Amino acid sequence: MLKYNFSDLIRYENQFTSVEQDIDLTDVLKERTKNMIEEAKHVQVTGELINDQPFVISRLHVKVDLVVLSTRSLTPIRYPLSFSFDEAYTDTKPREEDFDLYGTIIEVENDKVELQKAIEDNIILNLPTKILTEEEKQNDEMPSGNTWQVMSEEDYFEQKEKNKNFTICKIG
């Protein structure tokens, strides 16, 4: 799938390998995000693996139409994502200065460069912490029940501050 032999990628200097693949990550992302992502079927991955000895650099672009759950109501929402990321792979122990140059460096095990995990990680990292339906964006009402109410962080701290300034005095 998206697995390459490190030794093959690094064999010839100044070579690159094109990456172009559509994958279905629905099952793995549902499990990894505890069903926050409901669907991730047509994940388009394009880019290249570049030999920069002793590293192989992956420069990938990911485009995916997700179905995710609203963080407020758990309503399914279509959510398109498009992003790029770079990572370096090596079979030697990286030096401190290598991290300054390459950022993310992954040590290769068993001569395998596996891109799927990196793609999964970056899809999850590119999800915002707050995802709302159009209706929820327009209507600023928070969900509530008989004995509970969801409140914004600002409202919470405002209420906490009000209660802090209120003291009960017992007379007598």
Side-chain angles (χ1 to χ4, degrees):
M1 196 153 134
L2 287 166
K3 295 180 184 179
Y4 300 86
N5 288 331
F6 183 81
S7 56
D8 290 343
L9 294 170
I10 205 139
R11 182 171 291 142
Y12 305 105
E13 263 190 79
N14 301 318
Q15 291 290 327
F16 71 92
T17 302
S18 288
V19 176
E20 190 168 329
Q21 195 159 353
D22 288 352
I23 54 178
D24 181 346
L25 295 177
T26 296
D27 292 339
V28 69
L29 287 175
K30 276 179 87 164
E31 186 173 319
R32 285 191 63 190
T33 63
K34 305 294 185 232
N35 292 323
M36 183 67 182
I37 294 176
E38 288 288 303
E39 188 176 294
K41 283 194 176 168
H42 304 288
V43 181
Q44 298 173 335
V45 180
T46 56
E48 55 196 13
L49 298 167
I50 304 159
N51 178 350
D52 188 20
Q53 289 188 1
F55 299 97
V56 169
I57 311 301
S58 71
R59 293 209 165 110
L60 300 177
H61 182 78
V62 177
K63 188 175 179 184
V64 59
D65 285 318
L66 299 170
V67 174
V68 296
L69 299 179
S70 161
T71 52
R72 185 173 293 167
S73 65
L74 300 180
T75 302
I77 304 167
R78 290 222 169 271
Y79 193 84
L81 270 180
S82 182
F83 60 90
S84 297
F85 70 97
D86 298 345
E87 290 186 333
Y89 296 85
T90 186
D91 61 353
T92 60
K93 183 150 180 65
R95 301 167 302 165
E96 260 324 293
E97 55 267 22
D98 293 333
F99 288 100
D100 293 335
L101 190 60
Y102 295 106
T104 304
I105 300 175
I106 297 160
E107 290 186 56
V108 174
E109 294 178 12
N110 301 322
D111 194 43
K112 295 289 182 216
V113 173
E114 297 187 31
L115 300 178
Q116 182 175 320
K117 179 87 164 76
I119 294 164
E120 293 169 18
D121 291 346
N122 279 278
I123 288 172
I124 294 168
L125 287 170
N126 277 279
L127 282 176
T129 55
K130 183 177 182 181
I131 302 172
L132 303 174
T133 66
E134 286 304 315
E135 185 180 295
E136 290 168 339
K137 287 176 189 174
Q138 292 171 3
N139 179 0
D140 201 25
E141 232 175 82
M142 297 288 207
S144 62
N146 288 338
T147 58
W148 61 272
Q149 176 185 354
V150 175
M151 63 176 57
S152 69
E153 194 172 358
E154 295 108 19
D155 290 344
Y156 170 77
F157 286 117
E158 186 178 306
Q159 186 174 339
K160 188 176 177 181
E161 189 62 32
K162 283 180 187 176
N163 289 339
K164 182 177 162 184
N165 293 332
F166 182 78
T167 56
I168 299 175
C169 297
K170 187 175 182 181
I171 302 175

